[in-house]
Amino acid sequence: MDLVPALREPLKKVLGPATAKVMAEHLGLHTVGDLLHHYPRRYEERGQLTHLADLPMDEHVTVVAQVADARLHTFASSKAPRGKGQRLEVTITDGSGRLQLVFFGHGVHKPHKELLPGTRAMFAGKVSVFNRRLQLAHPAYELLRGDAEGEETVESWAGALIPLYPATAKLESWKLAKAIQTVLPSAEEAVDPLPESLREGRGLVSLPEALLKIHRPHTKADIEDARARLKWDEAFVLQIALARRRHAETQLPAVPRKPSPDGLLTAFDDRLPFTLTDGQQKVSREIFDDLATDHPMHRLLQGEVGSGKTLVALRAMLAVVDSGGQAVMLAPTEVLAQQHHRSVVEMMGELAEGGMLGGAEHATKVVLLTGSMGAAARRHALLDLATGEAGIVIGTHALIEDKVQFHDLGLVVVDEQHRFGVEQRDALRGKGKQPPHLLVMTATPIPRTVAMTVFGDLETSVLDQLPAGRSPIASHVVPAADKPHFLARAWERVREEVSNGHQAYVVCPRIGDEDDDPRKGAKQSKQPPEGDADKRPPLAVLDVAEGLAKGPLQGLKVEVLHGRMQPDDKDAVMRRFAAGETDVLVATTVIEVGVNVPNATAMVIMDADRFGVSQLHQLRGRVGRGSAPGLCLLVSEMPEASAARQRLNAVASTRDGFELSRIDLEQRREGDVLGQAQSGARTSLRVLAVIEDEEIIAEARQEAAAVVAADPELTGLPGLRTALEALLDDEREQYLEKG
């Protein structure tokens, strides 16, 4: 008998259309199963019964008492200026003492009808003081009817752990709790996704038992049992999805790509003015081994800003061109695509002049393709791609369009993976006659657990050495509100760097043109608002540039760069800055990745608290790229004690990107990190915490790999297959998409 239908039952049938509509719209819950997997966020202990005579301050208490009197007052307030505000004051007594309850606003209607003098009830809430009298504001209460039954209710109600659910303004936690109690009997029919041997081996409770215990715990141990089991489910089902994806990839055919002994790669290596670091050599070997196999490489290359990832990727691309294929690099922005194109052409010299006079013997053509190119240049580029004339292609999303045809696509390199979804990767890979090899690069250091969850379908290589010649970067927090003279000194430091022949960046969270609504700018920050600095709009490039040019940086050549400029203008600004014609570049985060100007030594980040930790680390990596030491100043008006300032102190105190990414992850919801925040979908991680549960994730990955190796189609595990379909169906493979 198929037990699943009970959990697939639409909530509309069980709870009625009105409640079901709110659950679907505001919480994304559609079926009984969805609701059962909507777990409590935390539990309130109502506290044992307390006599009114011995009420403790600031604690949650439960009292049984009788209503002595109830009075409704009206008053004027900012929200109800015409004296329409309402306050209900109820006095209760239990013989040992008296206590006042207060209810405000719309919350007065129900208690006003129910809490009549003489009524006996249980009240639960937090004890506070108002006008030197103890009170409970908006307590929860339950009316007591007959005596014998009443006493029993009192005991069970008072000692209970009350689940508090993630709720919405339209649906309070207690209404959710009632709805869940209605569907809880269906939990008995939940099919267990874990193989029996695994569940018993790890001493985990069954799924029905876990669901009952998480929604209706009698003790704290019940909650622990339930969470331990449900964490395993989340980690394991996700890792099964990733293991199956990896398994499917190994079944695909690919053309092995081996560099020829005296080809383009050798010629390139011979002209390098330096030797590769040990890390670059090791990672290159891993990549070349993958490229030589007959199924597609799937590798994530993560390396600190400036660790030489682009060089490693370029050598892989040259190896593929050597073997007769084409290689393409996909960049998230036009500025970055143009930057990569320039630096690749510079590094290759005459090797990038294939088909031209003066081109070297093994040379190939390096072509740029972006959305804003003129029609003629675009036609030319498309022709070079289709004929195979261009061995290396660098571009933006424009590469994914239908019109783009390759002669023989062998390798796709994706820069800054978190900006692209799996569909975009796959669309590009679909342009190969056979699936091309894939190398994904990121400069955002990713903690091991996130790599195992988000990038679980990729093998990982890490570049953790900086090449010789990279200079140290000193970072300091500039508390602009507490110590304005520190900010004045920051601009003096910028002038000093410029007078020594160097250049500087000033980064702002917002552009500052009419299209640039300050409220949108506030969303740049992943952080909650804190203090007064958040009451004004974030600082804007256009305003700051003007203020600096007329004020502290008067006489210096100041230019602006932001994402809404015309591509040619952006490119011209970057070229002038790279050539040293501009002293100070005031920009948004368009410079966050890949911009390489070795002569830029100073960076001032305005409203630094508006940026995430990893983003600040990325931005800082733009300076100190030459032989002179770098300086990064994090300007903030946040008070010393705020969480925002502590975040900035953490960035200033360490250059270790992996350490910072852990801090970043601990401070943001996992859902953001897993790329679900952008899509608005609920994160599938309801009880699993990526940082804390590293061990569970690692073990689940091992178990999942073994299960998939033995039974790729999961034929012997129908329960697991059902859970997997639910994950991939509900989240539309959100985990595996990123972005």
Side-chain angles (χ1 to χ4, degrees), residues 268-287:
F268 175 76
D269 283 350
D270 289 346
R271 56 169 286 139
L272 278 180
F274 50 82
T275 48
L276 299 179
T277 64
D278 295 348
Q280 286 172 323
Q281 288 178 359
K282 174 177 157 282
V283 169
S284 288
R285 275 196 302 276
E286 291 171 349
I287 291 171

Side-chain angles (χ1 to χ4, degrees), residues 321-363:
V321 175
D322 252 354
S323 71
Q326 290 169 291
V328 56
M329 182 185 274
L330 187 60
T333 64
E334 294 210 349
V335 168
L336 193 50
Q338 287 161 341
Q339 175 85 32
H340 276 318
H341 181 255
R342 268 203 301 279
S343 57
V344 164
V345 170
E346 270 166 34
M347 281 197 269
M348 287 176 65
E350 74 261 20
L351 296 175
E353 295 169 2
M356 291 187 249
L357 276 173
E361 177 195 350
H362 300 292

